[in-house]
Amino acid sequence: MDGKLEHPVHARLLLPSHQVHGTRTFVIDHDFLSLTPLEQVLKLHAVDALCTNIPGLCIGVKTADCIPILLYNEEATVISAVHAGWKGTVQRIVEHNIDTLVARYGLHPQTLHAIIGPGISLDSFEVGNEVYAQFQEARFPMEQIARKYPATAAQPLSKWHIDLWEANRLQLVGKGVKPAHIHVCGIDTLTNTNFFSARRMKDCTGRIINGIMID
């Protein structure tokens, strides 16, 4: 190929216009692509995951400590991009996303591959007791995803930490994705200054674009 995409009409990046830490997956199909730009923006409002089976179209989500999860099936005919902050994680957005993929495309979860991208790590994600309680009430295995860090001179109170990478990995496995098909990149956005971090940079941060495309 001379460096050109086979599907130049659809060779563009689509992102949710406003992520709200919910569980909604929006399906990008040819009907959506026929809409005006304004209609598309309105359709993508309050969306935290996208999926499509259209080649040459890059879909993605924006993150800055939240966890991006990119999925594709073995036949490379379906892709999805998920924004899983702690609120989306505790509401099990990954499980909702896989349900959408199964219902829409008839695929089997064991054919899926998943990449858990750069996001805040267990060591960095310190939370209050109220956040811990929400995960506990949502029936997450707390012994696997949470750890209480001891008090230090800088932090006189012991604090809970939550492993969002593992919380989302367990959801993938629970829905039938093979553990060997899940790659956790292990990059902590809080400590790695090559990446945007809302906690580290406060109001001055940008967003990481996490995209995936069917060639």
Side-chain angles (χ1 to χ4, degrees):
M1 292 177 58
D2 54 6
K4 296 181 180 178
L5 290 169
E6 293 183 49
H7 307 273
V9 173
H10 303 314
R12 57 194 179 95
L13 172 65
L14 282 177
L15 300 166
S17 60
H18 181 53
Q19 297 169 179
V20 293
H21 299 274
T23 62
R24 184 180 172 212
T25 294
F26 189 87
V27 178
I28 305 296
D29 55 18
H30 289 287
D31 287 341
F32 171 85
L33 294 178
S34 69
L35 299 175
T36 67
L38 176 58
E39 289 172 329
Q40 291 182 3
V41 168
L42 294 175
K43 288 280 188 182
L44 294 179
H45 181 77
V47 166
D48 283 275
L50 301 174
C51 64
T52 192
N53 63 351
I54 300 175
L57 180 67
C58 186
I59 58 173
V61 289
K62 300 164 285 185
T63 58
D65 287 338
C66 293
I67 310 302
I69 302 156
L70 305 176
L71 300 104
Y72 62 95
N73 64 336
E74 289 177 347
E75 298 79 17
T77 56
V78 175
I79 54 175
S80 187
V82 179
H83 162 249
W86 78 261
K87 292 181 180 179
T89 299
V90 82
Q91 295 176 81
R92 300 183 182 273
I93 184 173
V94 167
E95 295 182 5
H96 290 287
N97 178 257
I98 292 176
D99 288 342
T100 298
L101 298 181
V102 171
R104 177 74 181 200
Y105 304 108
L107 55 75
H108 297 288
Q110 56 264 38
T111 69
L112 287 171
H113 292 249
I115 300 167
I116 298 177
I120 196 164
S121 72
L122 168 68
D123 285 342
S124 295
F125 190 45
E126 177 186 292
V127 302
N129 291 337
E130 71 286 353
V131 173
Y132 177 93
Q134 288 190 48
F135 278 89
Q136 189 175 45
E137 290 166 7
R139 299 180 179 272
F140 279 84
M142 303 311 291
E143 71 282 358
Q144 293 179 250
I145 70 161
R147 187 186 308 166
K148 200 160 197 178
Y149 281 39
T152 64
Q155 176 53 263
L157 297 175
S158 58
K159 289 284 188 177
W160 282 109
H161 287 234
I162 299 286
D163 189 343
L164 295 179
W165 298 342
E166 181 65 5
N168 283 288
R169 191 192 72 83
L170 290 172
Q171 290 182 59
L172 290 163
V173 173
K175 293 302 287 186
V177 181
K178 297 177 181 179
H181 288 181
I182 303 169
H183 173 71
V184 182
C185 78
I187 296 174
D188 181 1
T189 49
L190 183 69
T191 59
N192 190 319
T193 56
N194 290 316
F195 293 84
F196 292 119
S197 166
R199 284 203 172 194
R200 170 168 39 84
M201 304 172 75
K202 309 300 181 186
D203 294 335
C204 296
T205 188
R207 291 294 183 268
I208 303 161
I209 303 300
N210 309 271
I212 185 169
M213 184 177 75
I214 300 170
D215 197 359

